[in-house]
PDB file of all heavy atoms in Angstrom:
ATOM      1  N   PHE A1235     -84.954  32.717  -0.618  1.00  0.00           N
ATOM      2  CA  PHE A1235     -85.624  31.857  -1.660  1.00  0.00           C
ATOM      3  C   PHE A1235     -84.525  30.769  -2.039  1.00  0.00           C
ATOM      4  O   PHE A1235     -83.460  30.935  -1.686  1.00  0.00           O
ATOM      5  CB  PHE A1235     -86.027  32.779  -2.820  1.00  0.00           C
ATOM      6  CG  PHE A1235     -84.865  33.444  -3.622  1.00  0.00           C
ATOM      7  CD1 PHE A1235     -84.364  32.874  -4.732  1.00  0.00           C
ATOM      8  CD2 PHE A1235     -84.383  34.701  -3.243  1.00  0.00           C
ATOM      9  CE1 PHE A1235     -83.230  33.418  -5.466  1.00  0.00           C
ATOM     10  CE2 PHE A1235     -83.294  35.318  -3.915  1.00  0.00           C
ATOM     11  CZ  PHE A1235     -82.674  34.556  -4.956  1.00  0.00           C
ATOM     12  N   ALA A1237     -84.676  29.253  -5.348  1.00  0.00           N
ATOM     13  CA  ALA A1237     -84.129  29.083  -6.727  1.00  0.00           C
ATOM     14  C   ALA A1237     -84.867  30.259  -7.601  1.00  0.00           C
ATOM     15  O   ALA A1237     -85.864  30.676  -7.160  1.00  0.00           O
ATOM     16  CB  ALA A1237     -84.266  27.887  -7.404  1.00  0.00           C
ATOM     17  N   LEU A1238     -84.239  30.621  -8.715  1.00  0.00           N
ATOM     18  CA  LEU A1238     -84.793  31.624  -9.634  1.00  0.00           C
ATOM     19  C   LEU A1238     -85.502  30.636 -10.637  1.00  0.00           C
ATOM     20  O   LEU A1238     -85.038  29.556 -11.027  1.00  0.00           O
ATOM     21  CB  LEU A1238     -83.671  32.349 -10.367  1.00  0.00           C
ATOM     22  CG  LEU A1238     -82.859  33.192  -9.355  1.00  0.00           C
ATOM     23  CD1 LEU A1238     -81.464  33.506  -9.989  1.00  0.00           C
ATOM     24  CD2 LEU A1238     -83.547  34.491  -8.986  1.00  0.00           C
ATOM     25  N   ALA A1239     -86.723  31.180 -11.143  1.00  0.00           N
ATOM     26  CA  ALA A1239     -87.517  30.537 -12.070  1.00  0.00           C
ATOM     27  C   ALA A1239     -87.555  31.373 -13.238  1.00  0.00           C
ATOM     28  O   ALA A1239     -88.429  32.171 -13.419  1.00  0.00           O
ATOM     29  CB  ALA A1239     -88.886  30.236 -11.561  1.00  0.00           C
ATOM     30  N   GLY A1240     -86.719  31.225 -14.271  1.00  0.00           N
ATOM     31  CA  GLY A1240     -86.752  31.962 -15.501  1.00  0.00           C
ATOM     32  C   GLY A1240     -87.801  31.419 -16.501  1.00  0.00           C
ATOM     33  O   GLY A1240     -87.869  30.231 -16.736  1.00  0.00           O
ATOM     34  N   LEU A1241     -88.717  32.281 -16.881  1.00  0.00           N
ATOM     35  CA  LEU A1241     -89.744  31.819 -17.679  1.00  0.00           C
ATOM     36  C   LEU A1241     -89.312  31.890 -19.242  1.00  0.00           C
ATOM     37  O   LEU A1241     -88.519  32.794 -19.689  1.00  0.00           O
ATOM     38  CB  LEU A1241     -90.945  32.851 -17.603  1.00  0.00           C
ATOM     39  CG  LEU A1241     -91.610  32.919 -16.273  1.00  0.00           C
ATOM     40  CD1 LEU A1241     -92.997  33.537 -16.499  1.00  0.00           C
ATOM     41  CD2 LEU A1241     -91.860  31.598 -15.658  1.00  0.00           C
ATOM     42  N   GLU A1242     -89.650  30.730 -20.023  1.00  0.00           N
ATOM     43  CA  GLU A1242     -89.403  30.581 -21.452  1.00  0.00           C
ATOM     44  C   GLU A1242     -90.061  31.778 -22.173  1.00  0.00           C
ATOM     45  O   GLU A1242     -91.150  32.194 -21.890  1.00  0.00           O
ATOM     46  CB  GLU A1242     -89.975  29.386 -21.923  1.00  0.00           C
ATOM     47  CG  GLU A1242     -89.766  29.075 -23.312  1.00  0.00           C
ATOM     48  CD  GLU A1242     -90.508  27.875 -23.901  1.00  0.00           C
ATOM     49  OE1 GLU A1242     -91.077  27.161 -23.104  1.00  0.00           O
ATOM     50  OE2 GLU A1242     -90.434  27.559 -25.029  1.00  0.00           O
ATOM     51  N   GLY A1245     -87.280  35.136 -19.855  1.00  0.00           N
ATOM     52  CA  GLY A1245     -86.858  35.254 -18.486  1.00  0.00           C
ATOM     53  C   GLY A1245     -85.641  34.401 -18.315  1.00  0.00           C
ATOM     54  O   GLY A1245     -84.940  34.520 -17.314  1.00  0.00           O
ATOM     55  N   ILE A1246     -85.305  33.473 -19.182  1.00  0.00           N
ATOM     56  CA  ILE A1246     -84.188  32.501 -19.005  1.00  0.00           C
ATOM     57  C   ILE A1246     -82.897  33.287 -19.020  1.00  0.00           C
ATOM     58  O   ILE A1246     -81.982  33.001 -18.023  1.00  0.00           O
ATOM     59  CB  ILE A1246     -84.408  31.407 -19.935  1.00  0.00           C
ATOM     60  CG1 ILE A1246     -85.501  30.509 -19.669  1.00  0.00           C
ATOM     61  CG2 ILE A1246     -83.027  30.574 -20.076  1.00  0.00           C
ATOM     62  CD1 ILE A1246     -85.792  29.384 -20.555  1.00  0.00           C
ATOM     63  N   ALA A1249     -82.555  35.263 -15.678  1.00  0.00           N
ATOM     64  CA  ALA A1249     -82.486  34.304 -14.574  1.00  0.00           C
ATOM     65  C   ALA A1249     -81.010  33.814 -14.514  1.00  0.00           C
ATOM     66  O   ALA A1249     -80.276  33.654 -13.433  1.00  0.00           O
ATOM     67  CB  ALA A1249     -83.528  33.227 -14.495  1.00  0.00           C
ATOM     68  N   PRO A1259     -79.454  28.757  -7.602  1.00  0.00           N
ATOM     69  CA  PRO A1259     -79.732  27.934  -8.805  1.00  0.00           C
ATOM     70  C   PRO A1259     -80.776  28.465  -9.628  1.00  0.00           C
ATOM     71  O   PRO A1259     -81.677  29.209  -9.110  1.00  0.00           O
ATOM     72  CB  PRO A1259     -80.000  26.597  -8.344  1.00  0.00           C
ATOM     73  CG  PRO A1259     -80.449  26.728  -6.831  1.00  0.00           C
ATOM     74  CD  PRO A1259     -79.784  28.026  -6.360  1.00  0.00           C
ATOM     75  N   THR A1260     -80.907  28.164 -10.856  1.00  0.00           N
ATOM     76  CA  THR A1260     -81.999  28.608 -11.808  1.00  0.00           C
ATOM     77  C   THR A1260     -82.782  27.329 -12.231  1.00  0.00           C
ATOM     78  O   THR A1260     -82.277  26.274 -12.454  1.00  0.00           O
ATOM     79  CB  THR A1260     -81.411  29.247 -13.045  1.00  0.00           C
ATOM     80  OG1 THR A1260     -80.561  30.281 -12.528  1.00  0.00           O
ATOM     81  CG2 THR A1260     -82.375  29.687 -13.958  1.00  0.00           C
ATOM     82  N   ARG A1261     -84.103  27.595 -12.401  1.00  0.00           N
ATOM     83  CA  ARG A1261     -84.928  26.602 -13.060  1.00  0.00           C
ATOM     84  C   ARG A1261     -85.403  27.234 -14.177  1.00  0.00           C
ATOM     85  O   ARG A1261     -85.842  28.451 -14.318  1.00  0.00           O
ATOM     86  CB  ARG A1261     -86.246  26.212 -12.175  1.00  0.00           C
ATOM     87  CG  ARG A1261     -85.769  25.664 -10.777  1.00  0.00           C
ATOM     88  CD  ARG A1261     -85.112  24.420 -10.812  1.00  0.00           C
ATOM     89  NE  ARG A1261     -84.793  23.949  -9.378  1.00  0.00           N
ATOM     90  CZ  ARG A1261     -83.560  24.014  -8.944  1.00  0.00           C
ATOM     91  NH1 ARG A1261     -82.560  24.477  -9.604  1.00  0.00           N
ATOM     92  NH2 ARG A1261     -83.394  23.380  -7.733  1.00  0.00           N
ATOM     93  N   PHE A1262     -85.479  26.519 -15.332  1.00  0.00           N
ATOM     94  CA  PHE A1262     -85.861  26.921 -16.647  1.00  0.00           C
ATOM     95  C   PHE A1262     -87.224  26.535 -16.887  1.00  0.00           C
ATOM     96  O   PHE A1262     -87.378  25.310 -17.214  1.00  0.00           O
ATOM     97  CB  PHE A1262     -84.891  26.517 -17.701  1.00  0.00           C
ATOM     98  CG  PHE A1262     -83.526  26.853 -17.530  1.00  0.00           C
ATOM     99  CD1 PHE A1262     -82.632  25.724 -17.053  1.00  0.00           C
ATOM    100  CD2 PHE A1262     -83.016  28.078 -17.617  1.00  0.00           C
ATOM    101  CE1 PHE A1262     -81.312  26.027 -16.709  1.00  0.00           C
ATOM    102  CE2 PHE A1262     -81.694  28.318 -17.268  1.00  0.00           C
ATOM    103  CZ  PHE A1262     -80.719  27.419 -16.898  1.00  0.00           C
ATOM    104  N   VAL A1263     -88.236  27.414 -16.805  1.00  0.00           N
ATOM    105  CA  VAL A1263     -89.656  27.080 -16.745  1.00  0.00           C
ATOM    106  C   VAL A1263     -90.262  27.250 -18.269  1.00  0.00           C
ATOM    107  O   VAL A1263     -90.176  28.275 -18.831  1.00  0.00           O
ATOM    108  CB  VAL A1263     -90.475  28.118 -15.901  1.00  0.00           C
ATOM    109  CG1 VAL A1263     -92.013  27.513 -15.857  1.00  0.00           C
ATOM    110  CG2 VAL A1263     -89.843  27.949 -14.544  1.00  0.00           C
ATOM    111  N   ALA A1276     -90.405  22.383 -15.494  1.00  0.00           N
ATOM    112  CA  ALA A1276     -89.234  23.173 -15.142  1.00  0.00           C
ATOM    113  C   ALA A1276     -87.935  22.288 -15.074  1.00  0.00           C
ATOM    114  O   ALA A1276     -87.870  21.174 -14.526  1.00  0.00           O
ATOM    115  CB  ALA A1276     -89.479  23.749 -13.815  1.00  0.00           C
ATOM    116  N   ILE A1281     -88.572  21.261  -8.089  1.00  0.00           N
ATOM    117  CA  ILE A1281     -89.217  22.486  -7.632  1.00  0.00           C
ATOM    118  C   ILE A1281     -90.309  22.290  -6.580  1.00  0.00           C
ATOM    119  O   ILE A1281     -90.670  23.028  -5.767  1.00  0.00           O
ATOM    120  CB  ILE A1281     -90.032  23.064  -8.824  1.00  0.00           C
ATOM    121  CG1 ILE A1281     -91.018  21.986  -9.421  1.00  0.00           C
ATOM    122  CG2 ILE A1281     -89.092  23.518  -9.872  1.00  0.00           C
ATOM    123  CD1 ILE A1281     -91.940  22.675 -10.464  1.00  0.00           C
ATOM    124  N   LEU A1286     -89.522  29.663  -5.038  1.00  0.00           N
ATOM    125  CA  LEU A1286     -89.066  30.155  -6.280  1.00  0.00           C
ATOM    126  C   LEU A1286     -89.503  31.618  -6.474  1.00  0.00           C
ATOM    127  O   LEU A1286     -90.517  31.950  -6.111  1.00  0.00           O
ATOM    128  CB  LEU A1286     -89.610  29.378  -7.441  1.00  0.00           C
ATOM    129  CG  LEU A1286     -89.411  27.761  -7.463  1.00  0.00           C
ATOM    130  CD1 LEU A1286     -90.075  27.190  -8.684  1.00  0.00           C
ATOM    131  CD2 LEU A1286     -87.990  27.446  -7.511  1.00  0.00           C
ATOM    132  N   VAL A1287     -88.584  32.344  -7.195  1.00  0.00           N
ATOM    133  CA  VAL A1287     -88.915  33.661  -7.536  1.00  0.00           C
ATOM    134  C   VAL A1287     -88.819  33.676  -9.012  1.00  0.00           C
ATOM    135  O   VAL A1287     -87.942  33.302  -9.791  1.00  0.00           O
ATOM    136  CB  VAL A1287     -87.710  34.734  -7.095  1.00  0.00           C
ATOM    137  CG1 VAL A1287     -88.003  36.165  -7.753  1.00  0.00           C
ATOM    138  CG2 VAL A1287     -87.582  34.651  -5.585  1.00  0.00           C
ATOM    139  N   ILE A1288     -90.139  33.990  -9.689  1.00  0.00           N
ATOM    140  CA  ILE A1288     -90.271  34.033 -11.015  1.00  0.00           C
ATOM    141  C   ILE A1288     -89.617  35.290 -11.677  1.00  0.00           C
ATOM    142  O   ILE A1288     -89.680  36.376 -11.132  1.00  0.00           O
ATOM    143  CB  ILE A1288     -91.773  34.136 -11.491  1.00  0.00           C
ATOM    144  CG1 ILE A1288     -92.437  32.635 -11.113  1.00  0.00           C
ATOM    145  CG2 ILE A1288     -92.011  34.413 -12.999  1.00  0.00           C
ATOM    146  CD1 ILE A1288     -93.982  32.695 -11.370  1.00  0.00           C
ATOM    147  N   ILE A1289     -88.812  34.842 -12.688  1.00  0.00           N
ATOM    148  CA  ILE A1289     -88.081  36.115 -13.447  1.00  0.00           C
ATOM    149  C   ILE A1289     -88.631  36.165 -14.802  1.00  0.00           C
ATOM    150  O   ILE A1289     -88.750  35.213 -15.486  1.00  0.00           O
ATOM    151  CB  ILE A1289     -86.572  35.802 -13.461  1.00  0.00           C
ATOM    152  CG1 ILE A1289     -85.985  35.445 -12.066  1.00  0.00           C
ATOM    153  CG2 ILE A1289     -85.745  36.904 -14.212  1.00  0.00           C
ATOM    154  CD1 ILE A1289     -86.026  36.522 -11.147  1.00  0.00           C
ATOM    155  N   GLU A1290     -89.075  37.486 -15.070  1.00  0.00           N
ATOM    156  CA  GLU A1290     -89.673  37.586 -16.375  1.00  0.00           C
ATOM    157  C   GLU A1290     -89.105  38.925 -16.892  1.00  0.00           C
ATOM    158  O   GLU A1290     -88.635  39.789 -16.292  1.00  0.00           O
ATOM    159  CB  GLU A1290     -91.152  37.763 -16.294  1.00  0.00           C
ATOM    160  CG  GLU A1290     -91.903  38.065 -17.614  1.00  0.00           C
ATOM    161  CD  GLU A1290     -91.769  36.894 -18.536  1.00  0.00           C
ATOM    162  OE1 GLU A1290     -90.764  36.574 -19.029  1.00  0.00           O
ATOM    163  OE2 GLU A1290     -92.819  36.377 -19.059  1.00  0.00           O
ATOM    164  N   ALA A1302     -97.566  30.386 -15.428  1.00  0.00           N
ATOM    165  CA  ALA A1302     -96.348  29.545 -14.870  1.00  0.00           C
ATOM    166  C   ALA A1302     -96.522  29.501 -13.448  1.00  0.00           C
ATOM    167  O   ALA A1302     -96.275  28.341 -12.807  1.00  0.00           O
ATOM    168  CB  ALA A1302     -95.174  30.547 -15.262  1.00  0.00           C
ATOM    169  N   LEU A1306     -96.528  25.931 -11.570  1.00  0.00           N
ATOM    170  CA  LEU A1306     -95.389  25.681 -10.550  1.00  0.00           C
ATOM    171  C   LEU A1306     -96.067  25.283  -9.199  1.00  0.00           C
ATOM    172  O   LEU A1306     -95.583  24.276  -8.482  1.00  0.00           O
ATOM    173  CB  LEU A1306     -94.547  26.851 -10.483  1.00  0.00           C
ATOM    174  CG  LEU A1306     -93.616  27.074 -11.577  1.00  0.00           C
ATOM    175  CD1 LEU A1306     -92.987  28.541 -11.486  1.00  0.00           C
ATOM    176  CD2 LEU A1306     -92.505  26.047 -11.865  1.00  0.00           C
ATOM    177  N   VAL A1313     -94.448  29.960  -4.617  1.00  0.00           N
ATOM    178  CA  VAL A1313     -94.188  31.107  -5.472  1.00  0.00           C
ATOM    179  C   VAL A1313     -95.031  32.223  -4.930  1.00  0.00           C
ATOM    180  O   VAL A1313     -96.220  32.345  -4.842  1.00  0.00           O
ATOM    181  CB  VAL A1313     -94.663  30.833  -6.886  1.00  0.00           C
ATOM    182  CG1 VAL A1313     -94.280  32.054  -7.854  1.00  0.00           C
ATOM    183  CG2 VAL A1313     -93.932  29.490  -7.434  1.00  0.00           C
ATOM    184  N   VAL A1317     -90.069  39.075 -10.347  1.00  0.00           N
ATOM    185  CA  VAL A1317     -89.166  40.146 -10.570  1.00  0.00           C
ATOM    186  C   VAL A1317     -89.121  40.290 -12.147  1.00  0.00           C
ATOM    187  O   VAL A1317     -88.838  39.314 -12.841  1.00  0.00           O
ATOM    188  CB  VAL A1317     -87.739  39.985  -9.977  1.00  0.00           C
ATOM    189  CG1 VAL A1317     -86.725  41.074 -10.432  1.00  0.00           C
ATOM    190  CG2 VAL A1317     -87.822  39.945  -8.457  1.00  0.00           C
TER     191      VAL A1317
END
Side-chain angles (χ1 to χ4, degrees):
F1235 64 96
L1238 301 156
L1241 300 192
E1242 180 186 355
I1246 289 175
T1260 303
R1261 304 297 182 256
F1262 307 107
V1263 182
I1281 60 171
L1286 304 179
V1287 178
I1288 291 178
I1289 306 298
E1290 182 63 303
L1306 290 166
V1313 183
V1317 173

